[in-house]
């Protein structure tokens, strides 16, 4: 058994010398880096293209609809004022923004919209100027399309009433109590002049009171005419879908 043990030692020594004289444990390889999860594919927007009135058989008609509630700016091409305007008077506005439908289809800015004055109240009659505007058709390169929209905002000293009973109503401002009071004071001063000249204290008081009351009633009952000049901007909102296809 001894010679077997010696042969084993000799063999081990030879192997150790061949491997560099020592036994070493094999080096552990570093763990592989964690694999990154693949990035989600980018969502590509459908290519934009102006509407030409034709419908692709691959797209539903809803893809050509500018949805209700869409707001957009227009420029007034005609002057409108409550002193001169009459019911059924035609007017024009022009879009300043694109009207976007689905699938990248849009109507470029510059489209002309035809409307009419459906009702008007002068400040001289009603005390507060009011005008109701109705929009009828929008003119495109591929023809006329019916449009249902209402004014929701007007820059300047005007208010807009929305709702089923106030559609398209634009109101002018009325005089304030402060302005009426100032007019009354001025009227009182002027009314007292005659009494002062005549040196009659009773006439001074009565003249001042009468003139003040007349001036107050005149000022508080007089509104201001509503004037929308050519070039004024209006903000409209679609009440129904606008389909950018020919009938």
């Amino acid at each position: 058994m001894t010679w077997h043990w010696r042969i084993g030692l000799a063999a081990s020594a030879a192997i150790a010398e061949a491997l560099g004289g020592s036994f070493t444990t094999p080096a552990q390889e570093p763990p592989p880096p964690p694999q990154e999860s693949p990035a989600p594919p980018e969502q590509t927007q459908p290519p934009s293209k102006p509407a030409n009135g034709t419908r692709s058989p691959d797209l539903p008609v809803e893809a050509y609809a500018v949805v209700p509630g869409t707001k957009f700016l227009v420029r007034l091409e005609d002057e409108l004022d409550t002193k001169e305007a009459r019911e059924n008077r035609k007017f024009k506005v022009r879009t300043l923004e694109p009207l976007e439908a689905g699938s990248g289809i849009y109507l470029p800015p510059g489209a002309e919209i035809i409307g009419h004055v459906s009702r008007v109240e002068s400040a001289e009659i009603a005390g507060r100027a009011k005008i109701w505007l109705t929009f009828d058709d929008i003119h495109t390169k591929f023809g006329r399309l019916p449009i249902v929209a209402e004014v929701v905002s007007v820059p300047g000293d005007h208010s807009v009433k929305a709702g089923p009973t106030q559609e398209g109503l634009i109101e002018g401002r009325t005089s304030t109590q402060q302005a009426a009071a100032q007019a009354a004071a001025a009227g009182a001063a002027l009314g007292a002049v005659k009494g002062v000249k005549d040196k009659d204290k009773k006439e001074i008081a009565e003249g001042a009171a009468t003139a003040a009351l007349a001036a107050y009633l005149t000022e508080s009952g007089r509104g201001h005419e509503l004037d929308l000049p050519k070039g004024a901007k209006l903000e409209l909102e679609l009440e129904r879908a606008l389909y950018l296809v020919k009938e």
Side-chain angles (χ1 to χ4, degrees):
M1 297 294 294
T2 303
W3 64 275
H4 286 292
W5 179 74
R6 288 179 179 177
I7 291 174
L9 286 178
S12 298
I15 294 173
E17 185 177 357
L19 296 175
S22 63
F23 289 101
T24 58
T25 57
Q28 295 182 353
E29 295 182 359
Q35 294 184 356
E36 297 182 358
S37 57
E42 296 183 358
Q43 295 182 354
T44 58
Q45 296 292 335
S48 298
K49 60 179 181 179
N52 58 13
T54 60
R55 176 184 170 187
S56 170
D58 299 330
L59 294 176
V61 68
E62 289 77 16
Y64 296 87
V66 185
V67 297
T70 299
K71 295 180 180 180
F72 57 99
L73 289 175
V74 299
R75 181 182 63 245
L76 191 61
E77 298 291 293
D78 305 286
E79 181 178 3
L80 292 175
D81 68 87
T82 52
K83 190 173 183 179
E84 301 295 336
R86 297 292 180 267
E87 290 186 10
N88 298 318
R89 176 189 167 181
K90 297 286 186 179
F91 66 89
K92 295 179 292 184
V93 299
R94 197 170 295 275
T95 60
L96 298 176
E97 299 175 302
L99 296 176
E100 299 181 0
S103 301
I105 301 168
Y106 69 96
L107 187 67
E112 185 181 78
I113 299 177
I114 304 298
H116 71 275
V117 176
S118 54
R119 184 179 172 187
V120 62
E121 293 180 1
S122 171
E124 294 179 351
I125 299 175
R128 184 169 191 174
K130 300 178 183 179
I131 191 168
W132 285 258
L133 304 181
T134 300
F135 299 92
D136 305 308
D137 301 302
I138 182 168
H139 293 191
T140 70
K141 292 183 178 180
F142 49 87
R144 293 186 180 187
L145 300 176
I147 185 172
V148 181
E150 68 176 7
V151 181
V152 293
S153 176
V154 181
D157 196 9
H158 311 297
S159 64
V160 176
K161 301 294 185 182
T165 62
Q166 305 279 0
E167 287 186 6
L169 170 59
I170 305 173
E171 291 183 333
R173 61 187 176 88
T174 55
S175 55
T176 62
Q177 280 189 322
Q178 182 180 2
Q182 291 174 350
L190 292 174
V193 170
K194 185 178 183 300
V196 171
K197 288 181 179 180
D198 296 339
K199 298 181 182 180
D200 188 330
K201 293 182 180 179
K202 183 179 180 181
E203 188 174 350
I204 291 173
E206 290 179 351
T210 302
L213 178 60
Y216 183 87
L217 292 175
T218 301
E219 181 64 24
S220 60
R222 185 180 72 234
H224 300 262
E225 296 296 347
L226 191 155
D227 181 29
L228 297 174
K230 180 180 179 179
K233 294 180 181 178
L234 311 176
E235 185 179 27
L236 307 187
E237 180 178 349
L238 286 180
E239 292 295 297
R240 296 182 184 177
L242 173 64
Y243 291 92
L244 303 179
V245 290
K246 293 180 181 179
E247 294 292 340

